[in-house]
Amino acid sequence: MFSRRRFLHTAAAGALLGAARGAGREHLREFTYADVQLTGGPLKAQYDWVHAHFLSLDNDRLLKVYRQRAGLPAPGDDMGGWYDADGFVPGHTIGQYISGLARMYATTRHPATLAKVKALVGGYAATLGADGYPYASEKAAVTWPCYILDKYVVGMLDAHRLTGVAAAREMLPRIIRGAIGHIPDHTYDRTPDSPKQAPYDEPYILPENLFNSYEATGDPQWLAMARLYLLNREYFDPLAQGKNLLPGKHAYSHVIALSSAAKAYEVLGDEKYLRAIRNAWDMIEETQQFASGGWGPKEAFVPPHEGKLGESLTAHREHFETPCGCYAHMKLARYLLRFTGDPRYGDGLERVLYNTILGSIEPSNDGDYFYYSDYQPGARKGYYKKKWPCCSGTLVQGVADYAVSIYFQDSSGVYVNLFTPSEVRWNAGAVPVRLMQSTGYPNGDALELRVDVPTPVEFAIHVRMPAWLSGAAAIRVNGKSVDVAAERKTFATIRRLWRKNDTVEVKLPFGDRTEAIDDRHPDTVALMRGPLMMVAVNAPDGTPEIAAPGLRFAPFYAVRGESYTTYFKQRVE
């Protein structure tokens, strides 16, 4: 640790090196949260209950541990679990709750959501004190100071950018400065020999939101601080060189850290960061993934080509840290989609969304949350052993991000990345456009896109053609077949002069296929149907043959109280 004065002097000096956010790094752009509405289907159903759940959390309970530390009146019940003053990481998720609710407000414009964001920001601001000390307790400042600081920062950033809460913008530098005396003066990897004062801490996750703080405030101190915590030597440099050093690393923290590398590429323009995240994606996809798209059994990456994923199926039940891991995976996929325009990253986003976080069971109002996906035979979904775990924070953030994962854009028009009832608005030149998507996906394989414009206008609609297609996609415009390239792993492009109520109908044929758990266990397979991981509901004990009579299959996301089996035996010729 070192002094605030020394830190800020070092940061200001480092900022003189400069960094210009360069143009041309994005092939695609995200829409804003306000541009997109979910209008039906399983994504909206989950979005609505997550929104309602976090809106219902009692403000006094959420703020109690902070008010106790500040010596203020602290009404309300204790939160319990990880969140309390004597918990594992006191107050650790309040920034994520503010962030997720701010994102949901930007999409829904729900007045009570805005009021809750304002109340939580104002209530937290009242506890900071003159020195800006942001933590709920000394224990939090010792155990996980960087991790929690990152959550405070994203909460204030989102409250400021998405809800217009002025206090959040004012608090942002106070919080960072108030934390500086409690965080390391350098970055380091999370390993067994990490500094004992912060055994669980992850300073390398900070840069993304410090870069965002620099962009929000223009203060070069946060730019220099972001650069300081980039995990270059131990992580990004080897990844950029194609070295697979994932095995043994903590899975979630090292994937969420890739968003810091992505943001570094966006801001600094150094191509090594793009190479690092692309190589890491390949390593995860090719050697670490379950059929669900999840990874990290027991929260650790495994050595490739040693059969460790297959062995994990019966060794334990903690196969994927679900809301946290999905949130990190979706963020990385969106960065890569933006930087490359390659639809394979849309495929990856779709897989992990539908087969992990969408399958989360509803939380209780007393802090019980779904945490690990279990792929053992005869598993059941349940809650984590401790209340208010980290996955409660990423649940609301990840589900809020459904809105910015569906559509992308460039100068030519709109890209349809996910297939779900929704609508998106933008301007094609000076003409306002609304594109409405209706579909029974993922239980049906057809979708319709309807154009609403006040006057004819030309633009392109690009539709992702997934790698899993079982046959040729069929595309019709206003009921007539059109001859457009629609190969797997591409975006099919329909460019024309669009008029009000023009429609595009797309059929994406599903098919059943099997995927082996790893290359050492080719006879242990999961059943996939289109984008969905299918599980056997209330199956016999053990690992059945996939062709065994009487098995009843359902998508993982649709399972609730039933037992389910994810992997099966299949004879290899």
Side-chain angles (χ1 to χ4, degrees):
M1 307 292 180
F2 60 168
S3 72
R4 180 180 306 164
R5 177 178 295 178
R6 180 183 166 199
F7 184 94
L8 295 179
H9 173 76
T10 303
L16 296 178
L17 295 174
R21 181 173 178 176
R25 305 211 225 290
E26 290 185 320
H27 286 254
L28 305 178
R29 302 186 306 277
E30 288 184 2
F31 284 94
T32 71
Y33 292 90
D35 293 330
V36 182
Q37 297 290 314
L38 288 88
T39 57
L43 299 192
K44 186 177 190 299
Q46 186 187 47
Y47 187 101
D48 287 347
W49 62 249
V50 168
H51 187 188
H53 168 74
F54 283 93
L55 194 59
S56 73
L57 297 183
D58 182 71
N59 292 355
D60 285 335
R61 291 187 72 195
L62 292 170
L63 293 165
K64 183 171 184 175
V65 68
Y66 289 95
R67 289 167 170 164
Q68 287 172 327
R69 187 261 302 152
L72 299 173
D77 295 334
D78 292 335
M79 289 281 282
W82 281 18
Y83 200 98
D84 270 355
D86 60 353
F88 176 42
V89 272
H92 64 120
T93 43
I94 193 170
Q96 292 172 289
Y97 300 162
I98 292 170
S99 166
L101 287 167
R103 297 175 190 190
M104 287 182 160
Y105 169 73
T107 297
T108 65
R109 297 292 165 179
H110 188 262
T113 306
L114 175 60
K116 191 174 189 72
V117 171
K118 287 181 176 179
L120 290 176
V121 170
Y124 175 57
T127 70
L128 288 181
D131 62 355
Y133 181 84
Y135 299 104
S137 71
E138 183 60 30
K139 181 176 183 180
V142 170
T143 302
W144 228 351
C146 296
Y147 178 94
I148 304 173
L149 173 61
D150 185 62
K151 312 314 172 193
Y152 295 145
V153 171
V154 74
M156 296 307 109
L157 282 167
D158 285 345
H160 162 58
R161 295 183 297 190
L162 301 176
T163 70
V165 176
R169 166 84 168 59
E170 297 164 3
M171 289 168 62
L172 186 61
R174 290 181 62 201
I175 288 169
I176 301 174
R177 291 190 178 99
I180 283 173
H182 304 276
I183 61 177
D185 63 357
H186 63 287
T187 196
Y188 57 80
D189 206 351
R190 175 175 173 172
T191 64
D193 58 351
S194 294
K196 297 305 180 185
Q197 73 272 17
Y200 297 100
D201 213 16
E202 299 149 1
Y204 50 86
I205 68 169
L206 286 169
E208 180 188 25
N209 284 315
L210 290 169
F211 281 125
N212 286 330
S213 298
Y214 164 65
E215 291 180 338
T217 66
D219 191 331
Q221 296 179 57
W222 315 139
L223 170 62
M225 193 173 173
R227 297 176 69 156
L228 175 67
Y229 289 111
L230 287 167
L231 194 64
N232 290 321
R233 180 177 58 84
E234 301 96 327
Y235 194 42
F236 300 141
D237 290 347
L239 285 176
Q241 297 161 11
K243 297 178 182 177
N244 188 352
L245 37 62
L246 295 179
K249 291 191 179 296
H250 182 253
Y252 164 71
S253 66
H254 286 84
V255 174
I256 201 71
L258 295 171
S259 285
S260 284
K263 190 67 184 180
Y265 170 66
E266 184 178 323
V267 174
L268 305 177
D270 189 335
E271 291 281 340
K272 82 173 180 185
Y273 294 111
L274 179 58
R275 292 195 303 273
I277 62 175
R278 295 187 74 166
N279 289 342
W281 180 280
D282 292 347
M283 294 166 190
I284 293 168
E285 187 173 71
E286 294 167 9
T287 70
Q288 302 292 333
Q289 278 194 169
F290 296 100
S292 65
W295 29 258
K298 275 289 191 187
E299 300 191 21
F301 285 121
V302 300
H305 313 302
E306 296 182 9
K308 298 299 184 183
L309 281 182
E311 292 173 12
S312 77
L313 292 180
T314 53
H316 52 78
R317 296 186 176 276
E318 302 89 348
H319 291 110
F320 183 50
E321 196 179 359
T322 303
C324 285
C326 184
Y327 178 64
H329 199 100
M330 289 169 58
K331 275 164 54 75
L332 180 60
R334 288 198 303 275
Y335 272 121
L336 285 165
L337 263 171
R338 287 168 48 206
F339 295 155
T340 70
D342 189 336
R344 69 175 291 205
Y345 302 117
D347 285 359
L349 192 159
E350 175 185 60
R351 179 187 287 247
V352 78
L353 188 164
Y354 273 107
N355 300 308
T356 67
I357 194 170
L358 187 62
S360 299
I361 55 175
E362 291 85 343
S364 76
N365 287 328
D366 198 33
D368 297 306
Y369 288 85
F370 183 74
Y371 193 109
Y372 292 116
S373 291
D374 179 357
Y375 304 137
Q376 272 213 25
R380 290 183 187 272
K381 294 179 181 178
Y383 294 129
Y384 187 57
K385 59 187 177 183
K386 299 290 187 181
K387 294 180 183 294
W388 308 108
C390 53
C391 278
S392 67
T394 46
L395 176 64
V396 64
Q397 289 181 297
V399 172
D401 281 356
Y402 290 173
V404 291
S405 300
I406 303 169
Y407 302 99
F408 291 80
Q409 61 182 318
D410 67 6
S411 59
S412 73
V414 63
Y415 288 72
V416 182
N417 181 53
L418 295 180
F419 313 121
T420 189
S422 55
E423 62 179 59
V424 60
R425 296 173 184 262
W426 78 100
N427 287 336
V431 179
V433 181
R434 181 169 67 132
L435 184 70
M436 297 164 284
Q437 181 179 171
S438 57
T439 178
Y441 196 91
N443 298 310
D445 61 3
L447 63 115
E448 180 187 90
L449 303 167
R450 183 174 295 273
V451 175
D452 182 15
V453 290
T455 187
V457 62
E458 184 177 346
F459 59 88
I461 297 176
H462 310 267
V463 182
R464 180 172 58 86
M465 297 288 108
W468 48 255
L469 288 177
S470 64
I475 300 177
R476 299 165 66 89
V477 175
N478 295 333
K480 297 180 180 179
S481 295
V482 292
D483 185 16
V484 299
E487 301 296 322
R488 296 176 182 86
K489 306 180 185 180
T490 67
F491 283 101
T493 299
I494 309 103
R495 186 177 185 93
R496 69 193 303 271
L497 185 70
W498 299 97
R499 294 176 169 81
K500 187 177 180 66
N501 289 327
D502 280 351
T503 60
V504 177
E505 296 168 271
V506 183
K507 187 174 179 62
L508 301 169
F510 287 12
D512 291 346
R513 66 191 186 282
T514 59
E515 292 187 2
I517 180 68
D518 59 37
D519 53 5
R520 292 292 187 93
H521 297 89
D523 61 341
T524 303
V525 300
L527 177 65
M528 303 295 295
R529 182 168 298 155
L532 300 175
M533 183 177 74
M534 307 296 290
V535 298
V537 178
N538 296 330
D541 292 342
T543 304
E545 292 279 346
I546 196 165
L551 293 181
R552 180 170 65 90
F553 289 94
F556 175 81
Y557 84 80
V559 172
R560 285 297 179 263
E562 312 96 320
S563 72
Y564 64 91
T565 294
T566 307
Y567 279 89
F568 310 89
K569 290 298 181 183
Q570 178 174 264
R571 295 179 183 177
V572 178
E573 300 297 334

